[in-house]
Amino acid sequence: MEQGAFNDVAKKGLEFRNRYYKMLDDPQERSNVASLYAPDVPMVCEWNGHPLSTVDDVRTYLASLPKTSHQIDMVDAQPLPDNEGGDSFLLTVHGTVIYSDEHRREFYQRMVIRRFDQRYYILNDYYRWLSERAQ
């Protein structure tokens, strides 16, 4: 794969990351995060031990979370095999999150993202706390 293809996927990954966490951390926009998950496509999603198998499951789970504030420390986007035109990539994110006024938690998130009908959707999502940090 040419270097330009990697650069293109990196750009798409950063754009997706910016949109995703901006929506997730905004209480007025959080319900829209579910629209980033592929509708009517089998998906695998686990948020810190909570399996979510439908877009409605994702919407309900995210609505149950308190206010969040994510600080992203690392983002990596890698094209997946048979990736014609940057249509699918693996996005890995690492950072810290604060829920309401609690202490910081280090987290890791891995998403498989694919383009359908000119939009990018999450097909697979794994979000996990790694450790807790005193403020």
Side-chain angles (χ1 to χ4, degrees):
M1 186 173 280
E2 295 179 19
Q3 184 64 35
F6 283 97
N7 292 340
D8 188 43
V9 166
K11 181 181 175 187
K12 289 173 186 173
L14 287 174
E15 289 170 358
F16 197 92
R17 184 268 334 238
N18 290 341
R19 183 173 177 208
Y20 183 90
Y21 291 100
K22 182 179 179 187
M23 289 168 55
L24 184 62
D25 288 343
D26 183 342
Q28 305 300 324
E29 292 289 321
R30 181 179 285 168
S31 63
N32 295 327
V33 171
S35 70
L36 299 175
Y37 290 81
D40 305 320
V41 174
M43 69 175 192
V44 177
C45 183
E46 183 178 317
W47 263 63
N48 210 39
H50 299 274
L52 310 170
S53 57
T54 68
V55 173
D56 285 336
D57 290 346
V58 171
R59 183 179 291 107
T60 300
Y61 181 76
L62 294 181
S64 74
L65 295 177
K67 183 176 180 353
T68 57
S69 177
H70 287 82
Q71 177 185 327
I72 308 303
D73 298 328
M74 185 279 304
V75 177
D76 181 55
Q78 295 294 320
L80 293 172
D82 298 324
N83 184 37
E84 296 299 323
D87 285 346
S88 60
F89 57 93
L90 177 68
L91 184 66
T92 304
V93 179
H94 178 267
T96 56
V97 60
I98 297 174
Y99 290 87
S100 294
D101 293 326
E102 295 180 3
H103 55 278
R104 293 181 185 274
R105 290 182 169 94
E106 192 174 3
F107 79 96
Y108 165 89
Q109 188 168 15
R110 181 206 64 226
M111 295 180 258
V112 173
I113 300 170
R114 176 129 194 230
R115 185 170 67 181
F116 296 104
D117 300 326
Q118 305 306 312
R119 283 194 56 201
Y120 285 91
Y121 292 100
I122 301 167
L123 296 180
N124 183 295
D125 185 3
Y126 180 81
Y127 184 104
R128 189 58 125 185
W129 293 341
L130 300 175
S131 66
E132 299 186 22
R133 298 179 186 178
Q135 293 208 45

